[in-house]
C-alpha cells in the first residue's frame, strides 16, 4: 500500500522561502510528483523527481531521497498567488500515482 | 503541453438518476486515462484506470457496476455514475498519461457533481 505524510497547513510571508516536506512509503516506486491545486480546481504539475537530489525550476525546487522515502518542495520569493494546496504524489507500481492529503499553504502580506 | 478536457464542468442531478462525464485528450492519443474523486478537504482518490479497448481496472472499494467506465477511443473516456445518491456528490477529475512515455499525468479541469 501507499502511505504519504505531509503537513496539513503552513503559513508564510510574501517574499519569503517555504519548504514543504513529504515522507512516503510505497509498494514500488518510480518517482515523485509535486502538484499545485487551487481550491475548486484540478491539480497542475510542478515537478517530477526520479533520481536523488535537487531539481530547480524557477522559483520552485524539489528534492528527493529515495533511500529515506523523503521529498521536499521549496518555494522561493513567495507571491500571494502561491496560496494553494501542494500535493506530494509518489508514482508506484503499475505507474499509479497516489496523492497525499496535501499541504495548504497560506501566503500572507 | 498536452491538454485534457472534461464535460460538463458541473452538473446537478436528482437522486436515482445517472450522470455521464466525458474526458477527452485534445491534442494527443491516450491509451490510458485515470479517474479520480476528491471530497472536500480530502486528497484525490484514484477510482479506476481506463484502458482503451479493454475493461477498466477499479481500485479496491469502488463499485464497478455503479461507476461505469468506457474508453472507446484513444481520445475519449467516459465515467457514468449510475443511480446517483447524495453521497456521490464530489469533484471528479480525469487524467491522461503523457504520450511521450513519462509518468507525468495531465489533468482535466474536473467535474463537480451535486446530487440532490
Amino acid at each position: 500500500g501507499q502511505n504519504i505524510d505531509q503537513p496539513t497547513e503552513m503559513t508564510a510571508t510574501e517574499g519569503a522561502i517555504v519548504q514543504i516536506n513529504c515522507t512516503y512509503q510505497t509498494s514500488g516506486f518510480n518517482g515523485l510528483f509535486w502538484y499545485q491545486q487551487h481550491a475548486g480546481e484540478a491539480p497542475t504539475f510542478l515537478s517530477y523527481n526520479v533520481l536523488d537530489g535537487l531539481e530547480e525550476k524557477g522559483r520552485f525546487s524539489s528534492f528527493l531521497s529515495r533511500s529515506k522515502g523523503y521529498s521536499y518542495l521549496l518555494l522561493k520569493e513567495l507571491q500571494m498567488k502561491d496560496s494553494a494546496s501542494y500535493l506530494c504524489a509518489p508514482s508506484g507500481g503499475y505507474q499509479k500515482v497516489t496523492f497525499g492529503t496535501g499541504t495548504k499553504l497560506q501566503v500572507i502580506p | 503541453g498536452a491538454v485534457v478536457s472534461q464535460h460538463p464542468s458541473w452538473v446537478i442531478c436528482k437522486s436515482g438518476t445517472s450522470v455521464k462525464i466525458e474526458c477527452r485528450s485534445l491534442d494527443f492519443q491516450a491509451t490510458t486515462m485515470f479517474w479520480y474523486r476528491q471530497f472536500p478537504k480530502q486528497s484525490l482518490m484514484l477510482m479506476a484506470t481506463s484502458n482503451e479497448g479493454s475493461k477498466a481496472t477499479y481500485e479496491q472499494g469502488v463499485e464497478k457496476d455503479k461507476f461505469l467506465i468506457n474508453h472507446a477511443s484513444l481520445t475519449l473516456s467516459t465515467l457514468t455514475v449510475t443511480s446517483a445518491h447524495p453521497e456521490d456528490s464530489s469533484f471528479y477529475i480525469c487524467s491522461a498519461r503523457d504520450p511521450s512515455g513519462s509518468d507525468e499525468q495531465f489533468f482535466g479541469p474536473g467535474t463537480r457533481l451535486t446530487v440532490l
Side-chain angles (χ1 to χ4, degrees):
Chain A
Q2 312 269 34
N3 186 31
I4 303 163
D5 188 29
Q6 53 181 128
T8 305
E9 295 181 348
M10 297 182 72
T11 301
T13 306
E14 189 176 15
I17 298 173
V18 69
Q19 178 174 315
I20 303 174
N21 297 320
C22 171
T23 58
Y24 61 89
Q25 293 177 315
T26 63
S27 53
F29 180 80
N30 296 321
L32 189 137
F33 292 96
W34 282 96
Y35 282 88
Q36 180 192 61
Q37 186 178 27
H38 285 97
E41 298 180 10
T44 55
F45 172 82
L46 291 179
S47 65
Y48 181 51
N49 291 63
V50 176
L51 302 176
D52 286 356
L54 183 69
E55 292 197 9
E56 299 184 63
K57 189 185 296 184
R59 294 190 298 116
F60 292 8
S61 302
S62 55
F63 172 84
L64 176 67
S65 169
R66 296 174 68 112
S67 61
K68 295 182 179 179
Y70 168 69
S71 174
Y72 68 74
L73 179 70
L74 192 70
L75 292 78
K76 303 176 185 176
E77 301 172 16
L78 279 174
Q79 301 176 8
M80 298 300 291
K81 67 178 181 179
D82 296 331
S83 294
S85 288
Y86 291 86
L87 312 177
C88 171
S91 173
Y94 301 102
Q95 296 183 312
K96 290 182 182 177
V97 178
T98 303
F99 289 85
T101 54
T103 298
K104 186 175 181 180
L105 174 66
Q106 183 180 15
V107 180
I108 57 176
Chain B
V3 179
V4 176
S5 70
Q6 273 184 249
H7 177 80
S9 302
W10 57 269
V11 57
I12 301 173
C13 69
K14 293 182 178 180
S15 184
T17 61
S18 294
V19 174
K20 180 186 285 188
I21 303 171
E22 295 184 347
C23 177
R24 293 181 185 273
S25 56
L26 297 186
D27 51 0
F28 66 101
Q29 294 182 331
T31 56
T32 303
M33 291 183 173
F34 302 91
W35 286 98
Y36 294 85
R37 179 169 54 180
Q38 186 176 34
F39 293 106
K41 298 185 179 181
Q42 295 187 21
S43 64
L44 279 77
M45 296 300 296
L46 179 64
M47 299 176 66
T49 302
S50 173
N51 302 296
E52 188 271 334
S54 65
K55 292 183 179 180
T57 304
Y58 290 82
E59 295 300 299
Q60 191 172 9
V62 178
E63 300 174 57
K64 62 180 181 181
D65 294 330
K66 179 172 180 63
F67 299 99
L68 303 179
I69 292 173
N70 186 358
H71 195 153
S73 78
L74 287 171
T75 60
L76 173 65
S77 175
T78 61
L79 168 68
T80 301
V81 182
T82 63
S83 186
H85 291 283
E87 57 265 32
D88 297 324
S89 298
S90 187
F91 193 42
Y92 291 85
I93 308 173
C94 72
S95 70
R97 183 173 290 153
D98 182 359
S100 72
S102 78
D103 280 345
E104 183 177 351
Q105 294 184 23
F106 300 102
F107 285 87
T111 297
R112 187 161 300 283
L113 170 64
T114 301
V115 184
L116 302 177

